């Protein structure tokens, strides 16, 4: 049924409180040719939401996500939609549109383009097929090529976040400087196959390794580098450490310079402060956070892990869980939903510095001075020290003033500011990255 109705479908869903939100579904062919779909919530700047399954039955298909299910039933010229998320199902119609509405961001690439784009399907790890775009500058012989690799969370080749397309902007800038760029959808996202919910760090490393080897195999590029954001640089370091000949240079954008547990603890302390907790409250919250992660890492299997975490929460001293809820310390990595996922325990047990110590290729390390997710002081300094301890003398590093985690020019650096900023990537960051990549000849 899906194959008969490709494209973008959008409807207005009225929720019980009276508010109406736009909900969309895109139906498309994945990199391996199978028909699939994703969900969008344009009013929340959320697009390409990955699904666990798309089960067809007659004229209907159920698009299942970890939190919701959207059932689509074909009716003459539109879909009848049924949204299920806890309470009674909500029904609405979805009709075909040319594209989903989105905020206009000034840096989103616009033609004419001095490069050509190739759509690729690359064999990743564990039978996954990765959908990708390779941008090759016109009139350039044997250019360098860089592979762009995502941070944590769902990610498409354009790295869409709150209406911004970070990797599309970065790829466009580099291609205009004569650099070829490969960007791909993370497994289980957009055109890439696989189950995103069941991924681990090891899967992401293997996928990146496959992409890098695919670029090496083309024999048309002078050197192959990797540019990663947030979690991405650690994946690049792992590939470079295990297969040194595959990566000729690396660029770390807000790369993590500590082990997984310490990274989470630093991030959670910043979150507590950003949400308004006073110093005494922060310490009470951090005692809870450390205990939560200790329990999580003590159980390899999901079911006993969740049971132990629930028991841990029920035995907290008076007032602690109220603080947790008040200062929003029960979402993301501190949620029971994430705690059940393989990627969460893998992230906590990860140790990126061990891989960075073995990297011998040229490295550019960049962080924003207002980064609240990967603070520059702890992480950039840690990466510089680790690389030098391993004997790498080809290391450049810089803290770029007034830039946040996404390398936007910011005022506070807090996450709630990301969507309020029109700039996608600050020109100073684009120029610094391009200059480093171009000279790697």
């Amino acid at each position: 049924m899906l194959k008969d109705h490709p494209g973008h479908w959008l409807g207005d869903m009225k929720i019980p409180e009276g508010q109406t939100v736009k909900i969309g579904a895109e139906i498309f062919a994945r990199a391996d040719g199978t028909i699939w779909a994703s969900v969008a919530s344009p009013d929340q700047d959320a697009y390409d939401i990955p699904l666990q399954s798309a089960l067809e039955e007659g004229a209907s298909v159920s698009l299942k996500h970890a939190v919701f299910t959207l059932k689509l039933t074909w009716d003459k010229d539109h879909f009848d939609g049924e949204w299920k998320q806890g309470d009674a199902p909500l029904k609405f119609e979805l009709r075909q549109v040319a594209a989903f509405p989105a905020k206009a961001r000034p840096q989103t690439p616009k033609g004419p383009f001095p490069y050509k784009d190739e759509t690729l399907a690359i064999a990743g790890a564990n039978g996954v097929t990765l959908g990708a775009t390779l941008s090759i500058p016109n009139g350039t012989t044997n250019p360098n090529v860089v592979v762009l690799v995502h941070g944590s969370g769902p990610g498409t080749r354009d790295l869409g976040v709150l209406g911004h397309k970070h990797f599309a902007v970065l790829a466009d800038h580099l291609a205009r400087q004569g650099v070829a760029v490969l960007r791909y959808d993370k497994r289980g996202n957009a055109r890439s196959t696989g189950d995103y919910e069941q991924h681990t760090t090891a899967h992401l490393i293997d996928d990146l390794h496959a992409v890098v080897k695919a670029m090496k195999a083309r024999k048309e590029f002078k050197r192959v580098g990797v540019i990663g954001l947030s979690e991405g640089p650690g994946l690049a370091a792992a590939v470079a450490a295990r297969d040194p000949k595959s990566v000729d240079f690396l660029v770390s954008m807000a790369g993590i310079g500590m082990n997984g547990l310490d990274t989470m603890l630093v991030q959670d302390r910043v979150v507590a402060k950003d949400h308004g907790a006073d110093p005494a409250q922060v310490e009470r919250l951090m005692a809870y956070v450390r205990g939560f992660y200790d329990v999580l890492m003590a159980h390899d299997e999901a079911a006993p892990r969740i049971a132990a975490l629930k028991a841990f929460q029920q035995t907290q001293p008076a007032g602690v869980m109220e603080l947790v809820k008040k200062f929003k310390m029960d979402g993301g990595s501190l949620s029971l939903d994430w705690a059940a996922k393989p990627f969460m325990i893998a992230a906590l047990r990860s140790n990126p510095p061990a891989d960075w110590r073995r990297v011998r290729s040229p490295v550019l390390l960049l962080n924003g001075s207002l980064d609240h997710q990967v603070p520059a002081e702890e992480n950039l300094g840690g990466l510089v020290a680790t690389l030098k301890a391993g004997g790498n003398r080809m290391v450049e590093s810089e803290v770029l003033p007034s830039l946040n985690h996404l390398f936007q020019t910011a005022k506070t650096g807090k996450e709630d500011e990301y969507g309020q900023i029109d700039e996608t990537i600050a020109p100073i960051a684009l120029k610094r990255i391009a200059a480093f990549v171009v000279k790697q000849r």
Side-chain angles (χ1 to χ4, degrees):
M1 189 275 291
L2 284 177
K3 66 181 178 61
D4 297 324
H5 308 292
H8 298 77
W9 300 85
L10 185 67
D12 293 322
M13 183 176 74
K14 186 173 183 180
I15 58 179
E17 290 78 10
Q19 181 184 2
T20 298
V21 297
K22 292 188 180 298
I23 297 293
E26 183 185 3
I27 300 170
F28 52 83
R30 292 191 289 187
D32 67 347
T34 57
I35 305 302
W36 200 247
S38 64
V39 172
S41 178
D43 293 332
Q44 298 174 294
D45 291 321
Y47 303 87
D48 300 297
I49 299 171
L51 302 173
Q52 293 178 322
S53 62
L55 302 177
E56 294 191 38
E57 185 176 353
S60 298
V61 59
S62 292
L63 307 180
K64 183 173 177 54
H65 180 267
V67 176
F68 63 82
T69 298
L70 174 59
K71 183 178 180 180
L72 301 176
T73 302
W74 184 249
D75 184 7
K76 297 178 182 177
D77 60 353
H78 67 276
F79 282 112
D80 290 326
E82 184 179 81
W83 182 276
K84 292 183 179 179
Q85 186 176 345
D87 298 327
L90 303 176
K91 297 184 178 183
F92 60 106
E93 291 184 359
L94 295 90
R95 295 188 176 274
Q96 191 158 31
V97 295
F100 297 137
K103 291 179 180 177
R105 302 294 189 182
Q107 287 177 291
T108 299
K110 300 176 180 66
F113 301 113
Y115 52 88
K116 63 177 182 179
D117 283 340
E118 293 183 19
T119 300
L120 305 179
I122 300 173
N126 318 107
V128 165
T129 302
L130 302 171
T133 296
L134 175 62
S135 301
I136 304 177
N138 298 335
T140 304
T141 303
N142 298 122
N144 285 348
V145 64
V146 292
V147 175
L148 306 186
V149 58
H150 324 78
S152 59
T156 67
R157 68 193 73 185
D158 288 342
L159 191 58
V161 179
L162 298 172
H164 292 283
K165 296 182 178 181
H166 288 81
F167 278 1
V169 170
L170 180 55
D172 178 78
H173 182 78
L174 291 171
R176 291 176 186 273
Q177 312 304 311
V179 178
V181 184
L182 187 287
R183 59 195 197 274
Y184 63 98
D185 302 324
K186 185 179 286 191
R187 60 167 52 213
N189 286 256
R191 271 63 177 173
S192 291
T193 66
D195 186 347
Y196 169 75
E197 292 292 331
Q198 297 302 312
H199 85 272
T200 65
T201 306
H203 292 139
L204 302 182
I205 293 170
D206 289 343
D207 286 343
L208 175 59
H209 195 192
V211 172
V212 168
K213 288 192 294 184
M215 293 301 97
K216 283 279 186 180
R218 288 178 70 108
K219 306 292 186 183
E220 63 188 276
F221 303 118
K222 180 72 173 180
R223 305 191 79 193
V224 177
V226 180
I227 300 175
L229 173 66
S230 194
E231 182 185 43
L235 306 179
V239 173
R242 298 166 200 185
D243 184 6
K245 293 182 179 180
S246 68
V247 179
D248 297 313
F249 59 90
L250 292 86
V251 178
S252 167
M253 300 176 67
I256 296 168
M258 301 178 287
N259 66 45
L261 175 59
D262 287 343
T263 297
M264 297 289 189
L265 292 173
V266 168
Q267 290 176 339
D268 291 331
R269 181 175 289 274
V270 172
V271 169
K273 292 178 180 178
D274 284 351
H275 287 158
D278 64 36
Q281 291 170 328
V282 168
E283 294 311 317
R284 291 190 74 190
L285 287 167
M286 290 309 299
Y288 167 81
V289 169
R290 283 188 289 269
F292 186 95
Y293 290 145
D294 286 344
V295 173
L296 196 159
M297 290 191 295
H299 297 82
D300 290 333
E301 298 299 323
R305 186 188 313 149
I306 298 305
L309 285 170
K310 288 180 178 179
F312 167 75
Q313 291 177 331
Q314 290 169 358
T315 58
Q316 288 302 293
V320 169
M321 294 310 298
E322 286 78 4
L323 288 177
V324 168
K325 295 184 183 303
K326 178 179 180 179
F327 295 110
K328 302 177 182 178
M329 301 294 287
D330 54 358
S333 63
L334 291 167
S335 68
L336 294 179
D337 179 51
W338 278 33
K341 307 298 183 186
F343 64 75
M344 190 64 234
I345 194 166
L348 282 167
R349 291 174 173 173
S350 67
N351 186 22
D355 290 319
W356 281 108
R357 184 181 290 270
R358 297 162 56 196
V359 172
R360 298 291 181 269
S361 50
V363 178
L364 171 64
L365 304 169
L366 298 176
N367 277 75
S369 67
L370 294 181
D371 191 336
H372 284 218
Q373 290 181 256
V374 182
E377 182 178 355
E378 295 90 343
N379 290 280
L380 188 64
L383 287 179
V384 170
T386 297
L387 284 160
K388 290 185 176 180
N392 192 333
R393 297 295 179 262
M394 296 181 289
V395 179
E396 301 177 32
S397 65
E398 187 173 354
V399 177
L400 300 177
S402 300
L403 301 194
N404 61 20
H405 184 63
L406 298 180
F407 287 79
Q408 301 167 300
T409 304
K411 293 181 180 179
T412 69
K414 295 180 181 180
E415 291 184 51
D416 60 9
E417 199 178 32
Y418 296 166
Q420 300 170 12
I421 301 172
D422 275 340
E423 179 182 79
T424 300
I425 303 179
I428 187 176
L430 293 171
K431 291 176 182 178
R432 186 70 176 88
I433 293 168
F436 176 82
V437 172
V438 168
K439 74 180 182 181
Q440 304 303 317
R441 300 293 291 176

